């Protein structure tokens, strides 16, 4: 049985690392396109809503990983602070409201005018 | 059904041989043999199938180029943040399992975070899809307006209602 546990651990590391390496390599060399990630819904504009979502998501994710690496022998996944959950939820809400306004707002006004 | 990847056949053959080998030659009582055989068979199958998927991605036959793309073009922020959260929680889970050898408890806050992330993706997809539906229903600006009686029966109108 100990050999099976060791083999399972190695197999999981190989599969998980392989998938992560493939995805991140494609992200870096442009195989998975990130162009327009921060672009607004109108051509040539910059979206502040997307930028703040990227900032809070990246910060939250890095902070959580640091928490895990600080104590990897814990019996449970670390509890993210309630403030972080609220912050990320609020950030996503701002992004969605902005997107809905930009995408659907014109249609609503057009229907009201006609 | 055809199996295109020979690795799948290799996985099946290896799993069968491992099961037979352990079942016949491994020491211990039948229950222990059954546990060990099941473990090795599942491990071989999952690992070789996972490697087959990785090879398909690496060779480009399984296309990931549209993984983060919006329907209308450009990268999707909602897809990107879902990818980040999935990787971070998955990696954290794996690190703890590898370190302790036990299944860790998952706090409600982590599930809430994943739920928020996935809901954002779903709502964003809904907004994009509804915008596309609206634009496909709207008449082209240069087309002359047809009289109401000329519209075919049952076809959707520009205002979203259907003809009786």
């Amino acid at each position: 049985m100990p050999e099976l546990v060791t083999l399972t651990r190695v197999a999981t590391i190989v599969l998980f690392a392989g998938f992560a390496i493939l995805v991140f390599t494609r992200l870096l060399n442009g195989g998975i396109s990130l162009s327009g990630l921060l672009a607004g819904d109108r051509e040539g504009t910059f979206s502040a809503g997307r930028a703040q979502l990227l900032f809070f998501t990246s910060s939250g994710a890095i902070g959580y990983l640091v928490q895990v690496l600080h104590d990897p022998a814990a019996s449970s996944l670390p509890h993210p602070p309630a403030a972080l959950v609220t912050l990320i939820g609020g950030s996503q809400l701002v992004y969605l409201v902005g997107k809905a306004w930009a995408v659907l707002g014109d249609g609503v006004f057009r229907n009201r005018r006609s | 059904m055809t199996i295109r990847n020979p690795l799948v056949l290799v996985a099946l053959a290896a799993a069968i041989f491992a099961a037979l080998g352990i079942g016949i030659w491994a020491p211990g009582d039948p229950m222990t043999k059954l546990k060990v055989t099941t473990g090795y068979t599942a491990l071989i199958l999952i690992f070789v199938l996972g490697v087959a998927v990785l090879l398909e991605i690496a060779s480009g036959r399984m296309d990931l180029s549209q993984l983060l793309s919006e329907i209308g073009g450009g990268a999707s922020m909602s897809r990107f943040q879902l990818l980040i959260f999935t990787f971070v929680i998955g990696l954290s889970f794996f690190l703890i399992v590898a370190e302790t050898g036990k299944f860790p408890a998952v706090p409600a806050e982590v599930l809430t975070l994943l739920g928020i992330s996935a809901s954002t993706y779903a709502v964003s997809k809904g907004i994009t899809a509804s915008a596309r539906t609206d634009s496909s229903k709207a008449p082209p600006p240069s087309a002359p307006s047809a009289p109401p009686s000329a519209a075919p029966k049952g076809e959707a109108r520009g205002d979203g209602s259907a003809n009786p």
Side-chain angles (χ1 to χ4, degrees):
Chain A
M1 273 311 224
E3 299 88 9
L4 182 59
V5 172
T6 311
L7 275 177
T8 307
R9 193 174 292 179
V10 172
T12 314
I13 290 173
V14 169
L15 289 181
F16 196 88
F19 188 63
I21 288 170
L22 272 176
V23 170
F24 283 109
T25 310
R26 297 274 160 102
L27 282 174
L28 291 177
N29 69 13
I32 298 173
S33 173
L34 284 179
S35 71
L37 189 69
L38 297 179
D41 288 292
R42 292 193 184 82
E43 205 165 314
T45 57
F46 169 77
S47 168
R50 284 171 175 245
Q52 61 84 23
L53 180 58
L54 180 64
F55 174 74
F56 286 119
T57 302
S58 312
S59 313
I62 291 169
Y64 192 76
L65 263 185
V66 169
Q67 243 183 308
V68 172
L69 293 174
H70 193 67
D71 184 16
S75 61
S76 84
L77 285 169
H79 290 255
L84 178 70
V85 178
T86 311
L87 202 65
I88 287 179
S91 167
Q92 311 241 1
L93 190 66
V94 168
Y95 163 71
L96 283 177
V97 169
K99 184 180 175 105
W101 182 257
V103 173
L104 302 175
D106 288 348
V108 170
F109 282 122
R110 195 170 51 232
N111 286 344
R112 278 189 185 165
R113 276 189 223 116
S114 62
Chain B
M1 190 181 77
T2 56
I3 299 174
R4 283 186 302 172
N5 197 325
L7 266 179
V8 177
L9 293 176
V10 171
L12 284 174
I16 290 168
F17 278 118
L20 283 175
I22 295 166
I24 294 169
W25 290 298
D29 61 299
M31 199 59 199
T32 311
K33 278 186 180 182
L34 180 64
K35 283 181 188 170
V36 175
T37 306
T38 310
Y40 273 106
T41 307
L43 176 64
I44 291 170
L45 273 178
I46 293 172
F47 180 69
V48 180
L49 290 177
V51 170
V53 170
L54 287 181
L55 290 178
E56 292 277 316
I57 294 172
S59 67
R61 280 192 298 246
M62 196 175 277
D63 186 18
L64 289 187
S65 63
Q66 305 295 312
L67 185 71
L68 296 179
S69 296
E70 290 258 28
I71 301 171
S76 165
M77 192 61 219
S78 54
R79 285 177 182 234
F80 187 62
Q81 57 85 24
L82 182 57
L83 180 78
I84 288 181
F85 275 117
T86 307
F87 261 116
V88 166
I89 303 294
L91 181 63
S92 309
F93 197 86
F94 169 71
L95 283 174
I96 291 177
V97 170
E99 189 70 26
T100 63
K102 291 176 186 164
F103 230 58
V106 182
E109 294 93 334
V110 172
L111 297 178
T112 309
L113 264 183
L114 275 179
I116 289 172
S117 175
S119 305
T120 299
Y121 167 67
V123 173
S124 172
K125 203 169 170 65
I127 291 172
T128 311
S130 69
R132 280 172 63 85
T133 310
D134 285 350
S135 63
S136 66
K137 279 180 183 173
S142 58
S145 58
S149 58
K153 193 176 182 180
E155 189 176 305
R157 289 198 308 240
D159 59 2
S161 62
N163 279 334

